[in-house]
């Protein structure tokens, strides 16, 4: 039986992060993309806590706390923007929102 | 004494204030304000001067750094001022004579539609000149150098509605550019070789310069000086510059700006001391300029042109002194020349003012009857420049000639002979001018006469100051100028008379100027022993007297036809100007056309090409900006991968 | 931390844990059955009728009968429903309800500063299923999860009335969670601990948080808690006149029973939480008795009576209060309860600091009240001002205004 | 240890399943639910590592607030239908995305597995974790002493975010972008002119058709635009 070290957590976090990154790039629904960002943030949080445990230091947990707060703020503003955009065009497809193209 | 910065700041304040409020201040107001600013600056200079005097001999230098101007890598330049005996001496007569000329201008420029603008320029000029002199590094000096150049340009073409005035301004500007080029190259060279442009830092480093480098630097700086100080071959702009208002001629083109070159070389005496044969070049150029200009001066009919060539010639003396390492003599002559030449210019201005802006001496005569104060003061100036003791010109000129006689310069005796010849010519043409102006019959009463039947009118057209268009009529009665114009004349006459006291050759304790400047100047020169000096002085006086008598014989007693002396070649200043014009119009023009083509095709082409290329590239690249968030995201992700890859490879190592 | 889990985890520990879980779950189920019957009876009394009186004595088995009836009904699945979520939703409603109950101390001797430790099968433990470190936060977390059951139920039905009901419900629950959390924060401020066990232990004697926090948080908690439960007068979620049956319109049979169960479970749990937070939980006088009576019987009786009080209160609300309109509900939550809870929290914090620093306590309180009154005045002015401004959603305005109050 | 291993495996599986669900499921609501599963799994993993407080707020903030907000938006804006993910309009986006994802994963794993401690740099010198008392106390101590400014600034950030969200969600009748704000000659202006020209063309074309209804001109030329 393997022993549970922080490496396990870190590998799991890397997996979640990669999945989130791929999802962000592949999915076209703005909301789903947003969720993928949250996935990535969570993967990072997990990494922070794992290192915090591994190094026996509160620093990682403190970082997670701030990530949580910032994520909350980000979602509030992001969803506000999405709602404002979707009021104009009845679509959540991010490819439709390309007014800023060169 | 931390108020050094106030000296240039006050005229600058005047400039800024007048730019904004000049029109509000109105006709006399703006002028009085400007004069007050320069006067206050003079008082400040006096304060600093007194402070310096109170210091021990060796510590007479105040350097004050205000702030860092440019800081780029190891290149660091501050806005800082260096008040030492040399710069304060310069400041004293810049602000002193400047203040007098400001006062004079209030009278002279009365009623001019651009009255306040004139004082804007004058104040800016004084500020720039003070910056030039007080700046503690080459770059700041260059700033002042360009500032005075710009002001000179603006003032020469002050009445720019006349195309001749405008072109005279342009000529001065362009000719000066050639010299500035030398200044800049020299500054770069100093920076590259010494790693600093600060005078106080240059001073200890200069002896370490290679002889060749020092020579190159000195020659390049001298090129700059020939432009600003109107030496061969760049002197051609100064006679034309007389198109400007007469106070300008007095202040800028006689007393202050044109001495900037002398100041520069004196300031850089540590480098000049290492420069070897460059000093010979300076001396010879100075001597030849003095001769050429003196020759030209005897054939001019425009009262101001005579003075202009005279100025060129006297500047030649100064460079002769610099070239023979007699810096003290150069500065001494600079001071005396500043006072008597300003006096002469202002006197001529007074005459012109009285004669309804007629500048042709052939239409003058017997003016001593109408202009007693002008006449009296002009006499002082005349005797001073002619080198009659005990007036100031004698002492300074004598010291230069004595220095040349004993110098180790190549061909020093030849130089001395030239100097003596120039002294003779100086006495001659000045006497000629005085006689034509103040003695004889009242020639303007004869309608349109050409008393001497000259075929050539010696460019009289060029210099006619016709900014107001009432011409000299036969029934004109000259009248003395207002007090604001005569007062400076009297003061300057006093100065011109006694300025010689600054540095009397009769014994070491009497050489005030030499002791005063000692800590600033590097370079040794030995005066000949006392009895030789006495003989030389006697010779000089004799030469001056001969010149005066000769002129008296020709123009007063009319024993010789003046036409025999006033050769066209002299009137045209050896055709140097014409040669330039011919060259510029012929092969020069084609060359310039080619350069212009090059500029258009290659330089502009490069600039436009880069711009066009950027536009084209942008047009191609804007396709990348799809507006699609996911594309951007992909870009970011790829970038992240690259970063990660970099980090990972670093970890391994 | 539960002393049970501090040592080695052996077989008996697991048995004890399982035993506790079983007892708590069974107890909760019984309590729910009782609660349903009790509420119906109480309502019937208020409305001057008999209520259930057929199944068993006084109709006490009515709930059981209802449950059996429901379990034999047909399990309908609407055609437009999202099958997976439709089936998941009831579970998401029930499970948090029970999980919240897990942290409530049911018994144990808390008198005279005892920490409520009892011994079961030779193991020292608390009379609660779990005593996690984050204690009361667990309850907040679970109530966040409970929202999902309702939201998803409404959405997955593929019908507009349930959707509207569920959106109403979740907005309401999210809104009132803030007031709820703030009033809990006052309790934490007084006790300094998150653990429910320690909160209860801190209220020995009659040092109930009810008084220690100055009563106001207690009332805020009751109002917000009632709203969290979607019970009358905050039962817009299932306002039959408007939304047919609310989020569970399309549910039938056992799935409906689960929602039903969850609702009453939540009511019981909420009562238990109120008791735990403000009324000292199972603590009470022991009259010098020791042994198992003081460990189990007396505390449980105290606990039961206190919970009963609040169950009656909920029934009483239902019987007497008219339903809020939706904007009234939001106004009450955002413009009144949250600012009040926040202000009170600040007041208590100041008092706490004042006590620590040795300031003049009465003066501090007076100054604080003055500041709060000023803040309230400002808030009121802001609200009145914004009511004139057109095209502003009531919720967002109040959000702004509450920021001003801070 | 065995219990923790079991918990880890279970929670990890939930996390991974949830993450895959977020990316692969087509219905946004299902995506959101999958996200909740992952968040929950992460919370469990936090508990597994002793970060109780973080686990609690992870659930409260993420599950209780953030994902609920997502669901709100999905449901209220009516985008809860399955999205068509079969067609990918951007060429090479998918393979590149997958390749990038794999590259990130691979590189991270290389960094984590080969470098070990070196990847993290030096250990911070905050309070150690293993102290008596609940972890929230230690966390609070650090937050309110060493990180007090950061803490206050995040408070400001949240306030600003709330105000921003209120402003964003205010219903206005003006268009989002006021085209007249843009000076002449900018891209927007050019585009608008192009639109105007197109509209003008249409009007002209219509007029043409109306004006000459019975000439031989193909009516579809002008009418069908």
């Amino acid at each position: 039986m393997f022993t549970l070290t922080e490496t396990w957590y870190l590998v799991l976090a890397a997996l979640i992060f990669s999945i989130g990154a791929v999802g962000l790039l592949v999915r076209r629904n703005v909301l789903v993309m947003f969720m993928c960002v949250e996935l990535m943030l969570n993967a990072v949080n997990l990494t922070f806590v794992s290192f915090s445990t591994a190094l026996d230091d509160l620093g990682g947990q403190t970082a997670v706390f701030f990530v949580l707060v910032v994520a909350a703020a980000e979602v509030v503003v992001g969803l506000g923007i999405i709602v404002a955009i979707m009021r104009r065009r009845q679509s959540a497809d991010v490819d439709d929102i390309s007014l800023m193209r060169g | 004494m931390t108020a050094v910065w106030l000296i240039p700041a006050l005229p600058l304040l005047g400039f800024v204030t007048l730019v904004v409020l000049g029109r509000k201040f109105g006709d006399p107001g703006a002028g009085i304000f400007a004069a007050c600013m320069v006067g206050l600056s003079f008082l400040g200079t006096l304060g600093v001067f007194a402070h310096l005097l109170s210091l021990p001999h060796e510590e007479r230098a105040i350097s004050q750094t205000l702030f860092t101007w440019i800081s780029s890598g190891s290149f660091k330049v501050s806005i800082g001022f260096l008040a030492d005996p040399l710069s304060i001496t310069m400041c004293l007569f810049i602000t002193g004579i400047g203040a007098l000329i400001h006062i004079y201008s209030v009278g002279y420029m009365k009623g001019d539609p651009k009255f306040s603008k004139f004082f804007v320029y004058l104040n800016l000029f004084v500020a720039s000149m003070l910056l030039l002199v007080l700046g503690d590094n080459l770059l700041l000096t260059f700033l002042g150098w360009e500032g005075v150049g710009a002001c000179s340009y603006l003032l020469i073409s002050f009445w720019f509605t006349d195309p001749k005035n405008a072109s005279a301004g342009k000529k001065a500007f362009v000719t000066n550019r050639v010299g500035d080029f030398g200044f800049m190259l020299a500054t770069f060279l100093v920076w590259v070789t010494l790693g600093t442009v600060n005078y106080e830092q240059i001073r200890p480093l200069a002896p370490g310069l290679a002889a060749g480098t020092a020579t190159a630097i000195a020659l390049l700086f001298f090129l700059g000086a020939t432009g600003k100080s109107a030496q061969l071959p760049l002197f051609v702009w100064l006679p034309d510059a007389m198109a400007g208002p007469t106070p300008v001629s007095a202040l800028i083109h006689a007393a202050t700006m044109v001495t900037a070159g002398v100041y520069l070389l004196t300031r850089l005496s540590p480098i000049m001391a290492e420069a070897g044969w460059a000093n010979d070049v300076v001396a010879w150029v100075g001597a030849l300029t003095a001769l050429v200009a003196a020759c030209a001066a005897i054939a001019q009919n425009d009262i101001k042109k005579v003075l202009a060539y005279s100025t060129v010639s006297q500047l030649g003396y100064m460079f002769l002194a610099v070239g023979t390492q007699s810096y003290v003599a150069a500065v001494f002559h600079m001071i005396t020349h500043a006072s008597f030449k300003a006096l002469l210019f202002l006197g001529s201005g007074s005459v012109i003012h009285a004669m309804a802006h007629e500048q042709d001496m052939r239409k003058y005569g017997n003016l001593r009857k109408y202009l007693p104060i002008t006449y009296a003061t002009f006499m002082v100036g005349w005797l001073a420049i002619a080198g009659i003791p005990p007036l100031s010109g004698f002492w300074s000129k004598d010291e230069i000639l004595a220095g040349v006689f004993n110098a180790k310069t190549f061909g020093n005796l030849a130089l001395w002979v030239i100097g003596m010849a120039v002294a003779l010519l100086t006495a001659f043409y000045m006497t000629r001018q005085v006689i034509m102006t103040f003695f004889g019959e009242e020639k303007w009463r004869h309608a349109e006469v050409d008393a001497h039947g000259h075929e050539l009118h010696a460019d009289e057209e060029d210099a006619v100051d016709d900014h107001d268009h009432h011409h000299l009529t036969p029934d004109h009665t000259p009248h003395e100028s207002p007090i604001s114009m005569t007062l400076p004349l009297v003061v300057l006459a006093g100065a011109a008379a006694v300025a010689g006291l600054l540095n009397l050759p009769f014994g070491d304790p009497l050489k005030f100027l030499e002791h005063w400047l000692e800590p600033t100047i590097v370079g040794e020169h030995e005066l000949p022993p006392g009895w030789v000096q006495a003989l030389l002085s006697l010779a000089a006086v004799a030469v001056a007297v001969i010149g005066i008598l000769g002129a008296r014989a020709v123009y007063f007693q009319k024993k010789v036809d003046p036409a025999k002396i006033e050769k066209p070649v002299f009137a045209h200043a050896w055709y140097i100007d014409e040669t330039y014009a011919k060259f510029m119009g012929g092969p020069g023009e084609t060359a310039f056309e080619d350069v212009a083509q090059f500029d258009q095709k290659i330089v502009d082409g490069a600039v436009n090409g880069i711009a066009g290329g950027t536009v084209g590239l942008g047009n191609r690249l804007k396709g990348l900006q799809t507006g699609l968030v996911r594309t951007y995201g992909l870009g970011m992700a790829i970038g992240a991968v690259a970063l990660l890859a970099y980090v990972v490879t670093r970890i391994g190592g | 931390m539960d002393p049970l889990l501090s040592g080695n985890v052996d077989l008996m520990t697991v048995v004890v844990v399982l035993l506790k879980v079983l007892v708590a779950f069974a107890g909760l189920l019984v309590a729910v059955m009782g609660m349903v019957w009790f509420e119906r009876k109480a309502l019937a009394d208020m409305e001057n009728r008999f209520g259930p009186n057929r199944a068993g004595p006084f109709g006490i088995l009515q709930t059981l009968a209802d449950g059996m009836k429901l379990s034999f009904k047909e399990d309908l699945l609407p055609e437009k429903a999202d099958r997976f979520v439709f089936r998941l939703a009831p579970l998401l409603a029930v499970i948090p309800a029970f999980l919240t109950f897990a942290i409530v101390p049911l018994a144990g001797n808390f008198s005279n500063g005892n920490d409520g430790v009892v011994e079961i099968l030779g193991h020292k433990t608390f009379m609660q299923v779990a005593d996690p470190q984050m204690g009361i936060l667990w309850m907040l977390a679970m109530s966040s999860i409970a929202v999902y059951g309702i939201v998803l139920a409404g959405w997955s039905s593929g019908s507009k009335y349930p959707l509207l009901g569920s959106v109403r419900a979740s907005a309401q629950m999210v809104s009132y969670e803030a007031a709820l959390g703030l009033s809990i924060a006052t309790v934490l401020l007084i006790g300094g601990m998150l653990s429910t066990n320690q909160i209860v232990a801190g209220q020995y004697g009659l040092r109930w948080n009810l008084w220690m926090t100055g009563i106001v948080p207690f009332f805020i908690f009751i109002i917000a808690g009632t709203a969290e439960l979607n019970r009358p007068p905050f039962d817009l979620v299932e306002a039959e006149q408007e939304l047919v049956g609310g989020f569970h319109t399309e549910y039938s049979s056992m799935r409906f029973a689960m929602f039903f169960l969850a609702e009453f479970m939540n009511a019981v749990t909420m009562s238990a939480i109120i008791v735990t937070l403000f009324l000292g939980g199972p603590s009470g006088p022991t009259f010098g008795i020791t042994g198992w009576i003081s460990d189990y019987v007396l505390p449980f009786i105290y606990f039961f009576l206190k919970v009963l009080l609040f169950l009656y209160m909920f029934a009483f609300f239902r019987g007497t209060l008219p339903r809020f309109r939706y904007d009234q509900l939001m106004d009450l939550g955002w413009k009144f309860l949250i600012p009040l809870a926040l202000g009170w929290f600040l007041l208590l914090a100041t008092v706490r600091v004042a006590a620590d620093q040795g300031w003049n306590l009465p003066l501090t309180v007076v100054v604080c009240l003055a500041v709060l009154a000023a803040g309230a005045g400002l808030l009121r002015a802001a609200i009145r001002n914004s009511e004139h401004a057109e095209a502003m959603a009531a919720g967002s305005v109040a959000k702004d205004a509450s920021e001003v109050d801070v | 240890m065995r219990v923790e291993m079991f918990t880890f495996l279970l929670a990890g599986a939930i996390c991974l399943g949830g993450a895959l669900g977020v990316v692969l499921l087509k219905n946004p609501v299902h995506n959101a639910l999958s996200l909740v599963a992952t968040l929950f799994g992460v919370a469990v993993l936090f508990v597994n590592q002793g970060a109780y407080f973080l686990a609690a707020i992870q659930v409260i903030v993420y599950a209780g607030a953030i994902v609920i907000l997502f669901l709100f938006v999905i449901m209220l804006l009516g985008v809860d239908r399955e999205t068509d993910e079969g067609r990918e309009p951007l060429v090479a986006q998918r393979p590149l995305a997958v390749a990038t994802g794999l590259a990130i994963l691979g590189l991270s794993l290389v960094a984590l597995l080969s470098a070990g401690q070196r990847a993290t740099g030096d250990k911070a010198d905050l309070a150690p974790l293993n102290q008596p008392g609940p972890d929230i106390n230690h966390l609070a101590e650090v937050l309110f002493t060493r990180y007090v400014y950061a803490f206050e600034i995040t408070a400001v950030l949240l306030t600003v975010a709330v105000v921003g969200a209120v402003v964003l969600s205010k219903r206005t009748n003006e268009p989002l972008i006021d085209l007249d704000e843009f000076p002449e000659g900018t891209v927007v202006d050019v585009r608008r002119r192009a639109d105007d020209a197109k509209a003008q063309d249409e009007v002209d074309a219509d007029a043409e058709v109306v004006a000459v209804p019975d000439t031989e001109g193909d009516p579809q030329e002008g009418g069908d635009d």
Side-chain angles (χ1 to χ4, degrees), chain B residues 30 140 215 273 291 303 402 458 483 486 499 508 516 544:
Chain B
L140 206 53
T215 310
L291 185 64
I303 184 169
I483 179 82
T486 50
D508 211 41
W516 169 243

Side-chain angles (χ1 to χ4, degrees), chain A residues 1-2 4 6-12 14-19 21-23 25-29 31-32 34-36 38-39 41-42 45-46 49-53 55-59 61-62 64-66 68-73 75-77 79-81 83-84 86-88 92 95 99 101, chain D residues 1 5 8 12 15-16 19 22-23 25-26 28 31-32 38-39 45-46 48-49 51 54 57-58 62 66 69-70 74 77 79 83-85 87 89 93 97 101 105 109 112-113 117 120 123-124 126-130 138-139 142-143 147 150-151 154 158 161 165 168-171 174 176-177 191:
Chain A
M1 195 70 191
F2 302 106
L4 186 64
E6 81 269 14
T7 311
W8 290 72
Y9 289 102
L10 296 176
V11 169
L12 178 66
L15 275 167
I16 298 175
F17 187 89
S18 311
I19 294 171
V22 172
L25 298 177
V26 166
R27 294 299 300 261
R28 291 211 302 279
N29 188 315
L31 291 160
V32 179
F34 226 128
M35 292 178 201
C36 291
E38 299 303 323
L39 268 187
L41 283 174
N42 264 279
N45 280 354
L46 185 54
V49 170
S50 305
F51 274 125
S52 177
T53 314
L55 299 174
D56 188 27
D57 193 282
L58 262 177
Q61 298 202 6
T62 320
V64 172
F65 178 83
F66 287 117
L68 274 169
V69 179
V70 174
V75 166
V76 166
V77 176
L79 286 180
I81 292 172
V83 168
M86 286 211 280
R87 252 189 223 139
R88 311 277 146 185
D95 288 354
L99 192 69
R101 69 173 168 268
Chain D
M1 209 63 212
M5 190 68 189
F8 171 79
C15 282
L16 278 183
V22 172
V23 176
L25 293 178
K26 285 172 184 162
N31 295 139
T38 305
L39 298 174
L45 290 174
F46 282 179
N48 214 20
Q49 303 192 67
L54 287 181
I57 59 169
Q58 164 94 358
Y62 263 117
I66 292 181
L69 261 175
F70 274 116
I74 292 169
L77 293 179
V79 289
T83 48
D84 173 25
E85 296 286 342
R87 171 187 61 90
Q93 176 84 13
L105 179 63
L109 288 183
L112 291 174
L113 298 178
Q117 205 83 323
T120 65
K123 168 173 138 75
L126 294 175
L129 278 181
N130 293 322
H138 313 310
L139 200 57
V142 173
L143 278 181
Y147 290 112
F151 183 81
T154 46
L158 273 177
L168 277 171
S169 55
K170 251 169 81 174
R171 222 173 255 278
E174 295 104 50
L176 266 189
I177 298 173
R191 188 163 294 156

Side-chain angles (χ1 to χ4, degrees), chain B residues 496-549:
Chain B
V498 301
L501 295 176
L502 282 175
N503 211 26
L504 292 175
F506 301 122
D508 211 41
L510 290 177
K511 295 187 173 178
F512 302 110
L513 190 66
E514 192 160 332
H515 295 303
W516 169 243
L517 289 175
E518 217 163 36
T520 316
I521 287 164
V522 175
E524 74 289 0
H525 77 283
E526 260 177 53
L527 287 178
W531 62 272
V532 181
Q533 267 195 66
L535 279 181
L536 292 177
S537 302
L538 275 179
V541 173
V543 159
V545 170
I546 292 168
I548 290 171
L549 290 178

Side-chain angles (χ1 to χ4, degrees), chain D:
Chain D
M1 209 63 212
R2 208 170 285 176
V3 179
E4 285 172 7
M5 190 68 189
F6 172 73
T7 320
F8 171 79
L9 288 177
L10 190 66
I14 292 174
C15 282
L16 278 183
L20 287 173
V22 172
V23 176
L24 298 177
L25 293 178
K26 285 172 184 162
N27 191 316
V29 175
H30 294 171
N31 295 139
L33 286 180
S34 309
L35 181 62
V36 175
T38 305
L39 298 174
F40 233 88
V42 171
V44 171
L45 290 174
F46 282 179
V47 171
N48 214 20
Q49 303 192 67
Y52 296 101
F53 173 69
L54 287 181
I57 59 169
Q58 164 94 358
V59 173
I60 295 172
V61 172
Y62 263 117
I66 292 181
V67 180
I68 285 286
L69 261 175
F70 274 116
L71 284 175
F72 260 36
V73 173
I74 292 169
M75 292 175 184
L76 286 177
L77 293 179
V79 289
D80 53 347
R81 288 169 296 276
E82 302 212 338
T83 48
D84 173 25
E85 296 286 342
R87 171 187 61 90
E88 172 60 60
L90 301 177
V91 184
Q93 176 84 13
R94 269 189 197 173
L96 272 178
V98 174
T100 328
L102 286 177
I104 289 175
L105 179 63
L107 287 167
S108 316
L109 288 183
V110 167
L112 291 174
L113 298 178
S114 72
Q117 205 83 323
R118 260 181 299 165
T120 65
D122 287 338
K123 168 173 138 75
D125 56 345
L126 294 175
L129 278 181
N130 293 322
Q131 304 174 69
D135 63 334
I136 182 173
N137 291 17
H138 313 310
L139 200 57
E141 208 170 307
V142 173
L143 278 181
F144 287 106
T145 54
R146 183 138 168 187
Y147 290 112
V148 66
Y149 290 113
F151 183 81
E152 296 297 337
I153 289 168
T154 46
V156 174
L157 176 73
L158 273 177
T159 312
V160 171
V162 168
V163 173
V166 170
V167 171
L168 277 171
S169 55
K170 251 169 81 174
R171 222 173 255 278
T172 53
N173 293 324
E174 295 104 50
L176 266 189
I177 298 173
D178 182 8
L179 288 175
D180 293 325
E181 259 179 31
F182 290 87
E184 292 284 316
T186 53
V187 174
V188 174
D189 182 59
V190 169
R191 188 163 294 156
R192 178 176 37 173
R193 271 198 305 233
D195 289 348
D196 289 350
K198 210 159 94 193
Q200 192 58 46
D201 285 350
E202 286 167 10
V203 170
D204 291 349
D206 288 346
E208 202 171 298
V209 172
V210 171
V212 277
D214 40 4
T215 47
E216 286 178 356
D218 189 352
Q220 284 192 333
E221 242 177 42
D224 194 17
D225 49 17

